[in-house]
Amino acid sequence: MIFLDNASTTPMSKSAIENLVKYSTENFFNPSAIYGAGYQNFKDIESTKKLLCQKLFVPFKNNIIFTGSATEATNLAILGSFKPSFKKMVFSVGEHPSVYNTALSLKSKGVNVEFVNLQKNGEVDYVELEKMLDSSVNFISIMQVSNETGAINDIAKICQLKKQYCPNAILHCDGVQAFGKIETNLAKLDLDFYTISAHKLHGPKGLGALYAKNPNKLQPIIFGGGQEYNLRSGTENLASIMAFKTALEEIDIQKNFEKICALNKTFKANLIAKTNSKITLKFVENQNLSPYILSVSIPKIKGETLVYMCDSKGLLVSTGSACSAKKSGNRILENLGYDKTLIEGNIRVSFSNFSTLEDIENGSKILANCINELFEKTT
Ligand code: PLP
């Protein structure tokens, strides 16, 4: 089986699994317990937070809050900093449902929520954003890398626009598809919140983290025993946090980036070469895409049918994002100006540093063969 759906999730690394087991068995103690073994686990959790801060280039100041998923982390950033006095909140149309649907929920309650459109290259429309920003804006949430197209937003530019037009606004960035893959220096970015997910980086599912420049700006959205600086109650997911630490230690962003760039390039070139020349494959046109995600549309072919066919031949890819795969339409591709057949014919191939050249060679062959076979049937 060839797994090229790594933007939806990744397999855990062997040493992460070892730590998961270790902290579920011999080191299972509750990190809130006041006896030594419990306190040691509390300190071990803190060591993961310190490592996260190191990878983000910021000092550790009780500024990492572990949550039950990145979805929960984005909800905490948005709902935990929301105030009824907010005059305007700005989100991009391209956000992951964990952000987009939270914004819609606030909008349905009467909050003034505005959505900035995307450019054809998948990035936020910075000109439109600039027009939207003024001193009435209290909150902005714009993702770093699109989980659908791989487009990388210019977060430094967004920080600069915020500083110019609404310096007091809170700025959240969903870094789920970027962290650990694309060098991100939070010391150089004036972000209030940054969201991370462990299972996209060979860590366990069910673990998110929110970096908060100033945790005092947050209110909890889950109440209980006061863990995570009173911002996310519930016994800490110790084993997953420690498994994530190991997964993080194994990441070499630069080395992986170069490898994935080469794999992506080979996959794309093979696909183009092996696909029937009567078919025009549509890729996102942008020089600044994350190499971890390759979005391609095949006109007149249903992405869903293609995914099932690839599955039957041993290749796992997805239609758009896994979270929205079951829903019809695609707000993001629509916003990019894709027509109905390009939206329906869209699939996403995504890589991880566990992907091999063999996966790429064989995977691109299977995909091209399936496309050609479906094309023959439709013409
Ligand atoms: N944000 C982005 C950009 C994502 O791709 C995902 C997951 O696909 C999430 C948030 C949600 O992450 P989690 O599965 O940890 O809730």
Side-chain angles (χ1 to χ4, degrees):
M1 188 258 286
I2 302 166
F3 182 69
L4 294 180
D5 187 23
N6 291 281
S8 76
T9 196
T10 54
M12 275 178 77
S13 78
K14 282 205 175 65
S15 45
I17 294 170
E18 275 165 27
N19 239 12
L20 191 85
V21 172
K22 181 176 162 198
Y23 280 88
S24 302
T25 52
E26 54 185 294
N27 286 11
F28 66 91
F29 312 97
N30 191 320
S32 298
I34 58 169
Y35 42 77
Y39 184 65
Q40 183 55 50
N41 282 346
F42 175 81
K43 295 306 282 179
D44 287 352
I45 288 179
E46 212 164 69
S47 72
T48 309
K49 295 183 179 185
K50 284 181 182 156
L51 181 61
L52 272 171
C53 283
Q54 198 183 314
K55 299 253 173 202
L56 291 167
F57 302 95
V58 288
F60 171 64
K61 286 188 196 159
N62 296 344
N63 45 4
I64 301 287
I65 301 135
F66 280 121
T67 57
S69 60
T71 297
E72 191 192 315
T74 59
N75 272 258
L76 176 60
I78 301 164
L79 302 176
S81 52
F82 174 75
K83 290 198 180 74
S85 60
F86 275 11
K87 291 200 174 71
K88 186 153 119 183
M89 297 175 84
V90 173
F91 298 83
S92 96
V93 171
E95 297 302 297
H96 181 270
S98 65
V99 172
Y100 190 78
N101 290 337
T102 310
L104 284 186
S105 155
L106 287 170
K107 195 174 167 73
S108 73
K109 290 181 182 122
V111 178
N112 181 16
V113 169
E114 289 188 11
F115 291 99
V116 55
N117 287 303
L118 307 174
Q119 305 173 62
K120 284 207 162 25
N121 68 4
E123 288 176 52
V124 158
D125 186 331
Y126 306 107
V127 176
E128 190 181 302
L129 178 66
E130 184 164 1
K131 284 187 194 138
M132 251 180 210
L133 298 184
D134 56 39
S135 59
S136 73
V137 174
N138 305 97
F139 189 94
I140 305 165
S141 188
I142 293 178
M143 74 202 314
Q144 194 175 5
V145 170
S146 164
N147 50 299
E148 303 246 354
T149 63
I152 305 173
N153 283 317
D154 186 343
I155 301 298
K157 186 173 187 149
I158 293 164
C159 289
Q160 185 260 316
L161 288 175
K162 185 212 98 150
K163 191 173 168 201
Q164 193 176 345
Y165 295 101
C166 43
N168 296 324
I170 295 165
L171 182 52
H172 167 247
C173 177
D174 173 351
V176 167
Q177 297 291 348
F179 177 69
K181 297 175 178 168
I182 287 167
E183 201 74 82
T184 303
N185 186 336
L186 291 194
K188 289 190 185 157
L189 297 170
D190 192 17
L191 291 175
D192 294 286
F193 299 113
Y194 187 75
T195 293
I196 291 166
S197 182
H199 72 108
K200 311 287 184 184
L201 293 166
H202 307 292
K205 294 172 186 56
L207 180 68
L210 184 68
Y211 157 81
K213 188 172 67 184
N214 182 359
N216 297 332
K217 281 191 182 173
L218 273 180
Q219 292 294 322
I221 56 171
I222 290 177
F223 298 86
Q227 290 88 346
E228 297 297 277
Y229 323 112
N230 222 2
L231 290 171
R232 204 286 185 175
S233 286
T235 302
E236 297 88 340
N237 190 348
L238 169 73
S240 291
I241 293 169
M242 297 318 293
F244 186 35
K245 183 179 181 194
T246 314
L248 276 176
E249 281 164 348
E250 290 168 344
I251 293 173
D252 181 335
I253 296 185
Q254 199 49 42
K255 194 167 141 235
N256 294 349
F257 189 85
E258 281 161 24
K259 175 187 155 176
I260 303 298
C261 278
L263 293 183
N264 182 313
K265 212 170 147 196
T266 307
F267 191 97
K268 190 173 168 181
N270 284 359
L271 186 65
I272 294 170
K274 292 188 178 102
T275 302
N276 186 327
S277 59
K278 289 184 199 143
I279 307 169
T280 312
L281 299 174
K282 162 94 177 135
F283 297 95
V284 181
E285 281 158 40
N286 188 330
Q287 297 305 311
N288 195 25
L289 294 172
S290 163
Y292 286 83
I293 294 176
L294 182 65
S295 163
V296 56
S297 285
I298 308 102
K300 300 199 190 92
I301 283 178
K302 289 227 169 3
E304 215 174 292
T305 315
L306 185 56
V307 167
Y308 290 135
M309 192 164 177
C310 287
D311 185 9
S312 73
K313 312 233 177 228
L315 169 67
L316 304 186
V317 292
S318 81
T319 53
S321 104
C323 307
S324 58
K326 291 194 183 77
K327 293 189 192 139
S328 61
N330 181 315
R331 106 183 98 84
I332 294 157
L333 298 179
E334 254 167 48
N335 205 251
L336 260 60
Y338 279 34
D339 64 20
K340 192 165 171 277
T341 81
L342 287 180
I343 293 172
E344 281 181 357
N346 182 262
I347 62 159
R348 181 186 69 181
V349 182
S350 49
F351 314 99
S352 86
N353 64 338
F354 284 16
S355 306
T356 63
L357 187 56
E358 205 185 345
D359 291 339
I360 299 312
E361 300 281 2
N362 295 333
S364 54
K365 209 182 289 171
I366 294 175
L367 183 55
N369 288 343
C370 291
I371 293 173
N372 294 342
E373 208 177 312
L374 286 175
F375 180 73
E376 291 302 324
K377 280 186 193 154
T378 55
T379 50

